[in-house]
Amino acid sequence: SEGENPVSFSQEQLAKAKEDSSVKAVILRIDSPGGSVTASEIIHDEVMRFKAATHKPVATVMMDVTASGGYYVACASDRLFAYRTTITGSIGVIMQLFSLQGSLDALRMKTYAIKSGSFKDAGSPLRDLTPLEQDYFEGIVNDFYGRFLAVVAAGRPNLVQDRIRELADGRVYTAEQALANGLIDE
């Protein structure tokens, strides 16, 4: 994307705040529909390390959208604030794949993959997934989803695991709904 890399920018800003004795707290302003699992985890973990090292409070102010990976990052904060018009939640993980096999068949085109292992072309758009590959990818998504649920549980200690699972079906919430469900503080 254009502009500053959000992972690097967050790391740099937290490093500055860590070294600056005049900084008494950090406010994260998040406006994000989400992003990669890894980027979200890096920023979340960086905030957690900052809090552990400095004992300075961290609050998140949610802007237009703080969903999916944005909410993942926000869960590192001590307090979550949202505007009445904020959309948040979307707790879940998605992997989107597509297959052109039907189109290739209609065009009477064949593709070939020379590969070093049976899963090397798993997810290729040039053919349909096999049931084994479907299970494989579902396992990856479920592993990441389990991590996301653990992050929400740690960041929202007043929510019980069963309630988090009910809320974590991928839907977004208005700020009012998020407040009523314990996903934000104010």
Side-chain angles (χ1 to χ4, degrees), residues 41-76:
E41 182 172 42
I42 290 169
I43 297 170
H44 172 274
D45 291 353
E46 198 71 33
V47 173
M48 296 300 289
R49 281 191 290 278
F50 170 83
K51 287 172 32 176
T54 66
H55 305 290
K56 295 177 183 180
V58 176
T60 288
V61 175
M62 298 178 175
M63 304 304 286
D64 291 319
V65 178
T66 301
S68 196
Y71 188 76
Y72 190 115
V73 170
C75 284

Side-chain angles (χ1 to χ4, degrees), residues 15-24 56:
K16 287 179 187 175
K18 181 179 177 183
E19 300 304 320
D20 188 341
S21 62
S22 68
V23 172
K24 303 301 179 204
K56 295 177 183 180

Side-chain angles (χ1 to χ4, degrees), residues 87-151:
I87 297 294
T88 190
S90 188
I91 302 166
V93 178
I94 186 171
M95 177 184 289
Q96 293 183 316
L97 304 171
F98 64 94
S99 172
L100 297 172
Q101 184 170 344
S103 298
L104 293 171
D105 290 346
L107 295 170
R108 298 174 132 180
M109 296 178 75
K110 290 189 181 272
T111 63
Y112 301 95
I114 311 303
K115 54 189 180 177
S116 60
S118 61
F119 282 91
K120 190 62 185 164
D121 69 336
S124 168
L126 301 178
R127 64 176 181 77
D128 292 338
L129 286 176
T130 68
L132 190 59
E133 291 167 340
Q134 177 79 26
D135 291 344
Y136 167 71
F137 286 124
E138 284 178 7
I140 291 171
V141 167
N142 288 333
D143 283 351
F144 290 162
Y145 179 64
R147 174 70 185 134
F148 200 163
L149 294 177
V151 164

